[in-house]
Amino acid sequence: MSQNKSFFPKESEIPKEMLLAQPIEQKEYLVNGGLKIWEGAVQEVFSPVYINTDSEIKRKRLGSIPILGEKESFEALDAAKQAYDLGRGIWPTMPVKKRIEHMLKFTKMMKEQKSIVVKLLMWEIGKTYKDSEKEFDRTVEYIFDTIEALKNLDRDNSRIEKKNEIYAQIRRGPLGITVCMGPYNYPLNETFALLIPALIMGNVVIFKPAKHGVLLINPLLNAFKESFPKGVINIIYGPGKDTIAKLMESGKIDVFSFIGSSKIANVLKKAHPKPNRLRAVLGLEAKNPAIVLQDADLELSVNECILGSLSFNGQRCTALKIIFVHEKIVDAFNALYLEKLAKLKMGMPWEDGVMITPLPEPDKPAYLKELIDDAVNKGAKVINKNGGEINESFVHPAVLYPVSSEMRIYHEEQFGPVIPILSFKNISEPIQYMVDSNYGQQVSIFGTNSQQLAELIDPLVNQVCRVNINCQCQRGPDMFPFNGRKDSAEGTLSVFDALRVFSIRTMVAGKEIDVNKKILTEIIEGRKSNFLSTDYIL
Ligand code: G3H
């Protein structure tokens, strides 16, 4: 590991508006509608950005968070149980219109915290300031879109149906006590893509933030506390094995929603003693390939592959994590990729136009080095200048070529700035790669011949869940389904689908007999039930 101290800034060189006023020493956690003060051990939080003092460089300290354990997790569970009250609680039985009002109040208060949340996002995970802002705005938009989708759903369900002399009203009801855990690369957006639909459908939630990107939830604690009835949202901190694992073992969790690695998801899911009670909503890892065909537009393909493999340093589940290029154009592709890579700005996340920034996981540089060394030992070369050079938390992107199936990088999800490229002669080679892979999220194909693309689309849509033509893989727009096959996901997320995965169709039905007609009419006209109701929201 080389150490180039001058790569990292002196405190005085950081723009004032990007600095945090002071470290956040968080003691609070949210349980049963109150912010409880934790007096026990805390975990210090450091940025991936180092600060260059005259004598040394060290990670910028951002503050500290509570290390809660089993006792506090069960406090949260008890609060959630009371709030849900076997489905009879205020929140699960509340009319949709009222739940939306609570959500709007939360969103208003959340927006007031934008500036500090965005800065914390940037400092905690090294995401560029611009992308941190985008993540915040996208999340707010996601909430508004969710509200609109729910209104539509509610309107569709606000009627009595009749079939074979049976009257029925069918709605979507909550599932119960829901655990939400998001990933560190989108600690706000992806976490909220679980949390918001879970809440708005009437579930009660225990939320544990990701391993990095934890402090950014702190400015939102009050908004959660003020906006929802007590016990509906509980926020806890601490190691998974002492918190969420214990809750799962209790068998009292109804929904496990998690975005992260399949390894952790499997451990937590298996800890639950009642597998049929538990619903799982999972977004897991992926190894999305790019396939660049012989007739591909080189300029466009390289631009998209750069974005796909290196946006947020390759730390996206949707990132392009292996690139197959037709042997006839691989030299030209590599040359152009390296030319464009050399122009990418590397530096601190607040700098204008910066693309490659320090990595938040302390052990990631060493892991990436292992992958690079393994590939080089087995015949690949690092083909770009300075590729793989490590400067503390910063890893200079490494382009590996030619990669082969004996190498770890061919199989493992690097989740970082290492770009494996290999050439193919026959299209069956990348297809076989996808068939053999444990993952099945997306693929990007680059080419111009519609016949050839059509022949590829048909087999590929049954290997993955999104075939991207002449563009990188991505989750958005959030209205589109986001899911995966095999070890990549369970359940489908999108604004629309998330409302479904966090709820279940449930109905009230009765035979068409006079006494039932009278009862239904009295309940509906007298507005005696929130469920059995033809009121609709405009
Ligand atoms: O980490 C995986 C994210 O869902 C990717 O989302 O494609 O919008 O960056 P994105």
Side-chain angles (χ1 to χ4, degrees):
M1 183 173 70
S2 68
Q3 202 192 53
N4 172 8
K5 275 173 49 175
S6 62
F7 179 76
F8 291 103
K10 293 191 162 75
E11 186 94 20
S12 59
E13 291 166 350
I14 303 170
K16 294 273 170 300
E17 65 281 11
M18 292 294 160
L19 285 168
L20 299 170
Q22 67 226 352
I24 297 176
E25 311 300 346
Q26 180 177 335
K27 295 273 186 200
E28 309 88 354
Y29 61 105
L30 179 63
V31 166
N32 205 23
L35 292 175
K36 289 203 158 200
I37 301 299
W38 170 246
E39 301 292 357
V42 295
Q43 185 194 324
E44 295 199 282
V45 179
F46 292 94
S47 173
V49 172
Y50 281 68
I51 301 295
N52 184 357
T53 68
D54 283 335
S55 52
E56 57 175 347
I57 57 168
K58 55 179 188 184
R59 280 177 186 263
K60 179 153 178 75
R61 186 176 178 283
L62 303 175
S64 55
I65 45 166
I67 306 181
L68 306 182
E70 190 171 342
K71 181 169 164 283
E72 298 71 35
S73 306
F74 277 92
E75 275 174 35
L77 179 61
D78 285 342
K81 266 161 65 182
Q82 277 178 39
Y84 196 64
D85 192 18
L86 306 172
R88 299 168 307 194
I90 299 173
W91 188 249
T93 56
M94 188 179 279
V96 166
K97 190 174 169 202
K98 285 260 174 263
R99 266 193 234 133
I100 289 176
E101 283 167 20
H102 285 271
M103 194 57 82
L104 287 171
K105 178 174 179 186
F106 172 76
T107 315
K108 184 168 178 286
M109 292 181 78
M110 174 183 171
K111 281 167 75 181
E112 288 161 9
Q113 301 300 321
K114 175 173 172 176
S115 155
I116 178 73
V117 173
V118 168
K119 265 197 253 179
L120 281 165
L121 240 176
M122 178 192 81
W123 277 106
E124 281 192 273
I125 61 165
K127 185 169 277 190
T128 67
Y129 184 78
K130 211 170 119 225
D131 283 349
S132 299
E133 251 193 329
K134 266 196 220 156
E135 180 166 343
F136 189 96
D137 295 340
R138 177 180 179 181
T139 307
V140 170
E141 195 184 323
Y142 190 93
I143 302 178
F144 287 127
D145 288 347
T146 298
I147 289 173
E148 280 313 306
L150 180 57
K151 284 183 184 171
N152 281 333
L153 187 65
D154 195 66
R155 278 194 285 268
D156 288 347
N157 295 336
S158 292
R159 64 197 173 93
I160 307 290
E161 297 183 28
K162 196 181 128 191
K163 188 87 188 155
N164 297 350
E165 274 86 58
I166 296 197
Y167 286 119
Q169 180 153 28
I170 307 161
R171 288 186 183 277
R172 298 202 73 93
L175 290 159
I177 301 176
T178 300
V179 160
C180 286
M181 296 168 79
Y184 80 80
N185 63 335
Y186 280 91
L188 184 72
N189 181 265
E190 293 228 294
T191 309
F192 277 43
L194 303 174
L195 195 61
I196 300 300
L199 280 173
I200 211 162
M201 291 312 287
N203 300 285
V204 295
V205 169
I206 300 168
F207 159 35
K208 191 175 98 66
K211 61 179 170 174
H212 306 289
V214 184
L215 279 174
L216 65 93
I217 300 298
N218 177 279
L220 303 176
L221 286 180
N222 193 47
F224 279 118
K225 176 173 100 64
E226 293 297 318
S227 308
F228 298 101
K230 69 176 187 173
V232 166
I233 167 83
N234 304 279
I235 306 181
I236 58 171
Y237 301 84
K241 67 175 180 15
D242 303 330
T243 55
I244 300 299
K246 301 290 175 199
L247 297 182
M248 296 295 276
E249 282 166 19
S250 77
K252 302 281 187 250
I253 302 300
D254 299 299
V255 187
F256 172 50
S257 64
F258 172 83
I259 299 185
S261 77
S262 57
K263 203 170 133 203
I264 294 178
N266 292 343
V267 170
L268 289 173
K269 245 177 101 173
K270 280 188 193 137
H272 199 291
K274 296 178 181 159
N276 299 331
R277 169 175 181 164
L278 186 71
R279 296 280 185 281
V281 183
L282 308 176
L284 306 171
E285 63 266 38
K287 186 89 181 166
N288 293 343
I291 303 174
V292 187
L293 302 168
Q294 191 179 346
D295 64 351
D297 175 333
L298 216 51
E299 176 75 19
L300 180 149
S301 314
V302 170
N303 284 340
E304 290 291 317
C305 286
I306 289 268
L307 276 180
S309 53
L310 284 171
S311 297
F312 191 33
N313 311 306
Q315 300 168 117
R316 293 161 60 226
C317 59
T318 45
L320 290 175
K321 298 197 178 98
I322 187 159
I323 303 179
F324 291 84
V325 188
H326 192 275
E327 62 176 8
K328 291 270 169 47
I329 58 161
V330 70
D331 290 339
F333 179 93
N334 286 350
L336 194 56
Y337 190 100
L338 298 196
E339 188 188 315
K340 288 182 187 278
L341 172 60
K343 290 185 188 145
L344 297 185
K345 184 165 171 182
M346 308 190 187
M348 296 304 117
W350 53 82
E351 290 173 20
D352 269 351
V354 71
M355 172 109 169
I356 310 294
T357 55
L359 308 177
E361 289 177 290
D363 46 0
K364 187 47 82 67
Y367 171 68
L368 295 177
K369 183 172 178 334
E370 269 181 32
L371 292 182
I372 295 169
D373 290 350
D374 171 76
V376 168
N377 286 337
K378 292 171 182 159
K381 285 196 172 61
V382 176
I383 59 170
N384 61 317
K385 193 165 167 247
N386 308 121
E389 272 182 19
I390 297 175
N391 186 5
E392 302 294 350
S393 55
F394 184 84
V395 178
H396 193 104
V399 183
L400 289 168
Y401 179 79
V403 160
S404 65
S405 60
E406 297 78 53
M407 300 169 190
R408 286 174 59 189
I409 189 72
Y410 183 89
H411 306 278
E412 291 178 33
E413 185 196 39
Q414 64 270 43
F415 216 74
V418 176
I419 306 99
I421 302 180
L422 59 162
S423 66
F424 68 91
K425 191 198 264 304
N426 191 310
I427 191 62
S428 63
E429 297 165 44
I431 293 181
Q432 195 58 42
Y433 173 84
M434 292 169 68
V435 170
D436 295 339
S437 170
N438 284 332
Y439 306 114
Q441 192 194 64
Q442 301 188 17
V443 62
S444 289
I445 39 180
F446 297 92
T448 49
N449 180 318
S450 57
Q451 181 58 34
Q452 194 183 10
L453 288 169
E455 282 165 18
L456 272 176
I457 287 168
D458 289 356
L460 291 183
V461 285
N462 293 336
Q463 287 302 323
V464 292
C465 289
R466 176 162 163 167
V467 175
N468 299 280
I469 299 173
N470 289 317
C471 67
Q472 62 152 328
C473 298
Q474 59 189 353
R475 174 190 168 124
D478 290 328
M479 301 306 273
F480 289 166
F482 180 57
N483 53 5
R485 298 168 189 267
K486 300 188 243 180
D487 263 342
S488 285
E490 186 172 333
T492 298
L493 291 172
S494 76
V495 167
F496 174 79
D497 291 297
L499 296 176
R500 282 161 172 72
V501 292
F502 284 104
S503 62
I504 188 161
R505 298 233 295 169
T506 179
M507 62 191 269
V508 177
K511 266 196 169 174
E512 187 194 16
I513 49 177
D514 287 346
V515 61
N516 279 352
K517 281 189 195 168
K518 183 168 175 290
I519 290 169
L520 292 182
T521 308
E522 282 176 9
I523 291 177
I524 291 166
E525 289 185 0
R527 295 202 160 83
K528 294 177 198 286
S529 163
N530 289 335
F531 186 97
L532 195 57
S533 160
T534 51
D535 287 352
Y536 57 88
I537 318 164
L538 290 176

